[in-house]
Amino acid sequence: MAETISLKQVYNELKRIEKRMVTKKEIDSLIDTVGIMGNPETLKQISGSMEDIKHGRVKEVHSVRDLLNAM
């Protein structure tokens, strides 16, 4: 004889599955990360930027005019 399952049991199982699913946003983020990590030039630029921040070689920009004046 077949076991009966309630709608509540089905709902609870679907919610459990949903909690373990990977979202499109997470996949897109992973793809972006792999793209960055796979590009040595980009990693070099990031490293250089981190060094600039560490040594205080930064400028605050509060407007487009500030940005244009800094160029």
Side-chain angles (χ1 to χ4, degrees):
M1 186 163 116
E3 179 184 345
T4 59
I5 300 173
S6 70
L7 285 176
K8 182 70 172 172
Q9 289 171 310
V10 172
Y11 174 81
N12 288 338
E13 181 64 15
L14 289 173
K15 282 306 213 181
R16 189 181 68 76
I17 292 168
E18 182 181 46
K19 286 180 183 177
R20 294 188 342 225
M21 289 175 64
V22 177
T23 65
K24 182 180 182 316
K25 184 176 180 180
E26 291 169 323
I27 291 172
D28 289 343
S29 179
L30 177 61
I31 290 169
D32 290 343
T33 301
V34 169
I36 290 168
M37 299 299 289
N39 186 324
E41 185 58 34
T42 300
L43 290 177
K44 183 178 174 184
Q45 290 173 357
I46 291 171
S47 178
S49 295
M50 297 297 286
E51 283 295 313
D52 288 342
I53 292 168
K54 181 178 172 182
H55 295 290
R57 296 186 296 256
V58 296
K59 293 183 181 179
E60 287 190 35
V61 176
H62 300 282
S63 68
V64 173
R65 179 171 284 159
D66 288 349
L67 182 61
L68 292 174
N69 287 339
M71 296 177 113

